[in-house]
Amino acid sequence: MTTAPQPNPYQSPLLSLPGAVAGDGIDAGVAAHYGSLYGEQRTLAAGEGFVDLSHRDVLRVAGPDRLTWLHSLTTQFFEGLEPGRWVSALILSPQGHIEHAFTGVDDGEAFTAHTEPGRAAALIGFLERMKFMTRVEISDVSDQVAVAWRPAGKYDLVPREQLATYADAAGPAAGLWAFEALRIERGEPRFGIDTDDRTIPNEVGWLETGQPWAAVHLDKGCYRGQETVARVHNLGRPPRRLTLLHLDGSENRLPDQGADVVPASGGRAVGFVGSSARHHELGPIALGLLKRNVATDTPLVVAGMPASQEVIVDPEIGLHFRPAR
């Protein structure tokens, strides 16, 4: 049985900011909001402010072989990665299922990456097993380095003891609920929340299509699980597709993560809900992973609430697209 990831134990000093309300579950340790959910969303949408993500795990891969080694293990093109360019990457099972996901940047001496809260130990364990004679050193630096996010998809790595100083310069602060609402709107999946143990990259829009979170480079050499990714990409018809769900707003609640999605006409579940949030313009929204053969105009029900679909991953070719609003 898979052990549930344990949240990062480090409480953010930014929880002392006025109006801060702490998150819960794996998002404990940072602020869910600072008293104005919709106002914080509008601030971020206007290109201002920052989000405290210091509850995320951080690891560092150093050594002269780090980039060629990561290139051979992951879905991303690491060879020749220039310092300062952020990339996302996945590690897949031999069957192409997503086992690990991370985002990071190289500084010329080491690659520093962040991953979901509680996920670093398993990721580091895998990487350690794959070192062999490679000249790399892997360490968990979550106690030293914190993550922050700014609009336009920019991440910052901040010395943990300097978070308060960073906040003074980067403010105003927006909470994780605002960050999540905008993430869901743009159709960006969250590993372990919008995915399950069977998810392949083609289902959730992680292929290279110009999105800033694209994690699968389609023109690189072999890596574990590549055969599945290439076959589905070339032949089309991934088993499932990530979908933006517009929820009925008449009830003051959101569905639980993992709740079944069923046709409004009745019958068996056709998928599950991952992330959900209240958006300042769209109202209650969620990401759902649905069977590919569910018609894109099929009315759905999620946790007793009617829901309509907005396609964000093409059901035929498995590529992410997001029409301009």
Side-chain angles (χ1 to χ4, degrees):
M1 183 174 65
T2 302
T3 302
Q6 296 301 307
N8 188 318
Y10 305 103
Q11 285 270 326
S12 173
L14 305 188
L15 285 172
S16 64
L17 291 178
V21 174
D24 56 16
I26 66 168
D27 292 327
V30 297
H33 63 85
Y34 296 91
S36 178
L37 171 61
Y38 295 143
E40 292 164 28
Q41 289 183 41
R42 294 187 185 99
T43 295
L44 295 177
E48 301 174 356
F50 77 99
V51 179
D52 177 12
L53 299 179
S54 61
H55 64 315
R56 292 181 66 81
D57 286 2
V58 183
L59 63 146
R60 179 171 291 141
V61 181
D65 296 337
R66 67 190 182 282
L67 294 182
T68 54
W69 180 67
L70 288 170
H71 185 90
S72 68
L73 290 177
T74 75
T75 59
Q76 187 55 265
F77 200 105
F78 277 96
E79 287 186 349
L81 179 67
E82 61 269 27
R85 185 167 76 87
W86 285 81
V87 293
S88 294
L90 308 174
I91 293 174
L92 308 181
S93 74
Q95 295 75 35
H97 301 143
I98 302 168
E99 293 188 339
H100 303 282
F102 56 91
T103 297
V105 64
D106 197 81
D107 62 5
E109 297 182 356
F111 181 79
T112 303
H114 61 88
T115 188
E116 287 290 332
R119 297 277 184 176
L123 174 54
I124 291 172
F126 171 83
L127 294 175
E128 288 285 354
R129 292 192 298 273
M130 301 303 292
K131 283 172 60 173
F132 305 112
M133 299 298 291
T134 310
R135 294 173 298 170
V136 293
E137 297 178 0
I138 310 156
S139 55
D140 186 333
V141 293
S142 304
D143 62 338
Q144 305 167 40
V145 181
V147 182
W149 182 90
R150 288 191 283 169
K154 177 177 174 53
Y155 288 102
D156 289 326
L157 297 174
V158 184
R160 190 166 287 277
E161 72 275 8
Q162 296 179 21
L163 264 176
T165 302
Y166 172 89
D168 289 341
L176 195 66
W177 285 2
F179 173 81
E180 289 287 276
L182 299 184
R183 177 186 64 79
I184 293 168
E185 179 205 6
R186 61 181 177 263
E188 179 181 350
R190 184 173 176 185
F191 175 63
I193 304 294
D194 301 308
T195 68
D196 61 14
D197 291 343
R198 297 183 295 114
T199 304
I200 63 174
N202 315 64
E203 296 176 323
V204 292
W206 255 323
L207 273 62
E208 182 186 29
T209 54
Q211 303 292 349
W213 60 87
V216 179
H217 196 288
L218 295 173
D219 296 317
K220 61 164 288 185
C222 294
Y223 55 87
R224 193 170 73 159
Q226 183 195 27
E227 182 179 351
T228 297
V229 173
R231 182 176 66 249
V232 175
H233 178 61
N234 292 329
L235 300 180
R237 296 174 171 257
R240 298 177 295 178
R241 57 183 174 86
L242 191 70
T243 304
L244 181 64
L245 299 174
H246 295 267
L247 306 174
D248 182 281
S250 60
E251 298 189 44
N252 186 28
R253 62 187 178 94
L254 293 170
D256 293 333
Q257 193 274 332
D260 285 343
V261 179
V262 298
S265 59
R268 295 182 177 179
V270 295
F272 71 90
V273 166
S275 310
S276 60
R278 293 179 175 86
H279 191 275
H280 68 111
E281 291 180 339
L282 303 179
I285 56 176
L287 290 176
L289 193 55
L290 308 180
K291 293 180 178 179
R292 183 195 59 80
N293 59 5
V294 176
T296 57
D297 59 353
T298 299
L300 302 170
V301 174
V302 181
M305 293 177 283
S308 61
Q309 304 178 55
E310 182 176 345
V311 177
I312 53 177
V313 172
D314 189 295
E316 295 301 318
I317 59 175
L319 291 180
H320 190 291
F321 68 94
R322 197 69 171 87
R325 292 196 175 278

